[in-house]
């Protein structure tokens, strides 16, 4: 490490190429530091997103007229065009940090998934052993890059994604998790309803028992999954009858029904009229 006014530090720099920019995420610089007793940074602003990992010691971060004390295992992020100041606090060990700055249109939304936003740019005890190893791998890979190369660019993109993934909380609020799970099932059903999929297939997609899936899906949507699949098929049938000149048989078979009789019967039960009657009424 080289000696500077407030620290001993290594600085690593990376210049992105077209492949990095096409991926929407790339490293800018990285490094490690060991703070001197009077260590302080700022007030300053940067033009990218800079993740800082507290390895040892304690520091005070000031942002948006707020202060937070951080310690070993915590992480904070400096966001573009925001003013920050941070300095070392007394502790048993001197302050040690690693950092990795990144940029690209994917950086901000991925950081948000990791729980880091401009309003709350820190997370306590966020650095797991896996996360620490991910940080080290990314920084070491940047150190090895002597000249831009497509393979190096792809490797760094993967390592950045792995690093951000290691910061993302594994345990989410149950209601949020359920809402996301049900939404994925709805999208699956919308996409494949015309192929005649069954409730069991949707439950298999969700990775849960059919009875549990039916119970949760019904509670969240107000409709059993079988009726939800039927609604999708019937609404598609109605649109095809109104917007196309396809025959009733063609529509029924296209929506996964085995024959004209089965489709017509299901249609009459759902709409209280036959497919041809509905078509004539909308003509």
């Amino acid at each position: 490490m080289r000696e500077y006014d407030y620290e001993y530090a290594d600085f690593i720099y990376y210049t992105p190429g077209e492949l990095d920019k096409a991926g929407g995420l790339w490293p800018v610089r990285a490094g490690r530091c060991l703070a001197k007793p009077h260590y302080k940074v700022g007030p300053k602003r940067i033009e990218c997103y800079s993740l800082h990992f507290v390895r040892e010691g304690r520091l005070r971060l000031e942002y948006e007229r707020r202060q937070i004390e951080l310690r070993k295992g915590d992480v904070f992020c400096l966001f573009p065009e925001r003013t920050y100041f941070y300095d070392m606090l007394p502790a048993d060990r001197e302050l040690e940090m690693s950092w990795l700055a990144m940029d690209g249109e994917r950086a901000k939304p991925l950081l948000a998934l990791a729980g880091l936003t401009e309003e709350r740019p820190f997370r306590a005890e966020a650095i797991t052993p896996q996360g620490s190893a991910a940080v080290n791998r990314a920084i070491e890979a940047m150190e090895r890059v002597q000249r831009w190369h497509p393979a190096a660019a792809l490797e760094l993109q993967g390592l950045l994604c792995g690093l951000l993934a290691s910061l993302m909380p594994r345990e989410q609020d149950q209601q949020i998790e359920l809402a996301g799970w049900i939404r994925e099932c709805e999208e699956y059903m919308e996409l494949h309803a015309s192929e005649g999929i069954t409730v069991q297939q949707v439950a298999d997609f969700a990775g849960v028992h059919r009875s549990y899936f039916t119970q949760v899906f019904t509670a969240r949507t107000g409709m059993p999954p079988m009726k939800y699949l039927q609604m999708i098929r019937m609404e598609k049938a109605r649109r095809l009858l109104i917007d196309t000149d396809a025959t009733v048989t063609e529509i029924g078979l296209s929506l996964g029904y085995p024959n004209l009789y089965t489709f017509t019967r299901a249609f009459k039960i759902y709409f209280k009229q036959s497919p041809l009657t509905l078509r004539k009424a909308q003509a």
Side-chain angles (χ1 to χ4, degrees), residues 10-13 30-32 136-146 156:
D10 290 327
F11 291 91
I12 306 159
Y13 301 100
R32 311 174 187 86
N136 291 337
R137 285 194 296 270
I139 294 177
E140 289 166 4
M142 288 180 67
E143 284 183 304
R144 293 194 300 269
V145 177
Q146 300 296 321
L156 287 174

Side-chain angles (χ1 to χ4, degrees), residues 175 178-179 181-182 186 211-225:
Q175 294 302 316
L178 274 179
W181 174 62
I182 295 301
E186 289 174 337
S211 60
Y212 176 73
F213 166 70
T214 299
Q215 177 186 356
V216 174
F217 187 92
T218 304
R220 295 290 302 184
T221 66
M223 183 184 301

Side-chain angles (χ1 to χ4, degrees), residues 20-259:
D20 300 275
K21 294 177 180 178
L25 183 70
W26 60 84
V28 176
R29 55 182 174 270
R32 311 174 187 86
C33 75
L34 174 63
K36 292 183 177 180
H38 56 299
Y39 177 85
K40 63 179 181 179
V41 175
K44 64 180 292 187
R45 295 187 177 200
I46 63 173
E47 297 178 345
C48 54
Y49 303 84
S50 186
L51 280 169
H52 292 247
F53 305 89
V54 184
R55 302 288 198 174
E56 295 288 350
R58 298 169 60 237
L59 65 80
R60 173 176 51 236
L61 170 67
E62 294 186 17
Y63 68 100
E64 302 293 327
R65 300 181 181 177
R66 304 176 203 171
Q67 291 187 359
I68 183 69
E69 293 185 7
L70 302 172
R71 62 188 69 238
K72 180 180 178 179
D74 296 349
V75 60
F76 65 96
C77 182
L78 308 184
F79 283 79
E81 305 307 325
R82 298 278 178 150
T83 301
Y84 298 93
F85 173 87
Y86 49 97
D87 60 346
M88 185 169 67
L89 295 173
D92 294 337
R93 298 284 299 270
E94 297 296 325
L95 178 65
E96 289 184 39
M97 289 194 295
S98 299
W99 70 88
L100 193 152
M102 64 187 74
D103 209 348
E105 62 269 21
R106 295 175 62 203
K108 188 174 182 179
L110 288 174
L111 286 167
L113 289 174
L116 295 163
T117 64
E118 292 169 307
E119 294 73 26
R120 187 180 174 85
F122 63 89
R123 279 190 49 213
E125 300 179 354
I127 308 175
T128 63
Q130 295 81 4
S132 181
V135 176
N136 291 337
R137 285 194 296 270
I139 294 177
E140 289 166 4
M142 288 180 67
E143 284 183 304
R144 293 194 300 269
V145 177
Q146 300 296 321
R147 183 177 299 174
W148 189 90
H149 189 275
L154 289 175
E155 179 187 8
L156 287 174
Q157 284 182 27
L159 289 170
L160 278 184
C161 289
L163 168 57
L164 290 167
S166 74
L167 294 174
M168 293 179 185
R170 300 297 179 181
E171 296 181 3
Q172 299 179 347
D173 178 82
Q174 187 178 17
Q175 294 302 316
I176 295 175
E177 186 175 354
L178 274 179
W181 174 62
I182 295 301
R183 187 163 53 251
E184 288 179 4
C185 289
E186 289 174 337
E187 292 172 355
Y188 177 84
M189 295 161 85
E190 287 278 354
L191 183 61
H192 299 295
S194 299
E195 299 159 26
I197 60 170
T198 64
V199 174
Q200 182 62 58
Q201 286 174 293
V202 184
D204 291 342
F205 167 77
V208 297
H209 193 275
R210 173 174 172 164
S211 60
Y212 176 73
F213 166 70
T214 299
Q215 177 186 356
V216 174
F217 187 92
T218 304
R220 295 290 302 184
T221 66
M223 183 184 301
M226 180 63 77
K227 285 192 174 182
Y228 191 87
L229 282 169
Q230 183 188 38
M231 178 190 71
I232 295 170
R233 291 177 183 136
M234 289 295 104
E235 289 301 321
K236 288 185 177 183
R238 187 182 65 83
R239 290 196 298 271
L240 288 170
L241 284 164
I242 295 171
D243 298 336
T244 75
D245 60 356
T247 67
V248 175
T249 299
E250 191 176 354
I251 292 171
L253 295 178
S254 298
L255 292 174
Y257 290 91
N259 52 57

